[in-house]
Amino acid sequence: QVQLVESGGGSVQAGGSLRISCAHSGYTGSNLCIAFFRQAPGKEREGVACLFTTDGTTSYADSVKDRFTISQDAPKITVYLQMTDLKPEDTSMYYCAAKACLWPNLQSETYPYWGQGTQVTVS
């Protein structure tokens, strides 16, 4: 059973930075994608960034390009979402998700495994 445990997030003023971590375990296959999604109250879920853990290929939503960076540690156990130049519209609950994949993508309906979520608030 794949488990995803998120940490980080919090509150910050506009222009500030935060980092979210997603530690994953239990996946025994190859070619794993880890992605971050966000959902604010009353809004649809939005894909933010995805990492193809096999080779480090990434994909980003246009709204966060050049501000957010997704990466992984050397053991490929934890994936990070570094968020800079945060804006009030980035305020949301952020979730990490995992799936078997061949390339990074941000189609949330295709991800079967999800973390518990962490709140990011930008004022």
Side-chain angles (χ1 to χ4, degrees):
Q1 180 72 15
V2 175
Q3 291 188 323
L4 303 169
V5 179
E6 296 183 63
S7 59
S11 298
V12 67
Q13 291 188 337
S17 300
L18 285 172
R19 189 176 78 166
I20 298 172
S21 300
C22 177
H24 59 92
S25 62
Y27 184 73
T28 58
S30 58
N31 298 329
L32 178 69
C33 276
I34 301 290
F36 286 93
F37 296 86
R38 64 187 182 186
Q39 188 167 22
K43 294 189 176 181
E44 292 187 357
R45 184 179 296 168
E46 176 188 15
V48 175
C50 181
L51 175 76
F52 182 46
T53 61
T54 302
D55 65 4
T57 304
T58 59
S59 177
Y60 295 93
D62 288 341
S63 58
V64 305
K65 275 181 183 176
D66 301 324
R67 298 191 298 123
F68 291 11
T69 302
I70 189 169
S71 63
Q72 63 184 337
D73 61 358
K76 297 184 179 181
I77 294 174
T78 302
V79 173
Y80 304 99
L81 183 68
Q82 179 68 47
M83 303 178 288
T84 63
D85 190 22
L86 282 161
K87 307 174 186 298
E89 51 265 40
D90 294 317
T91 295
S92 191
M93 184 71 80
Y94 283 71
Y95 300 89
C96 69
K99 71 169 187 175
C101 68
L102 295 177
W103 55 82
N105 71 79
L106 293 172
Q107 297 171 298
S108 64
E109 65 275 11
T110 64
Y111 283 78
Y113 307 108
W114 290 81
Q116 79 281 9
T118 187
Q119 179 68 36
V120 170
T121 302
V122 185
S123 58

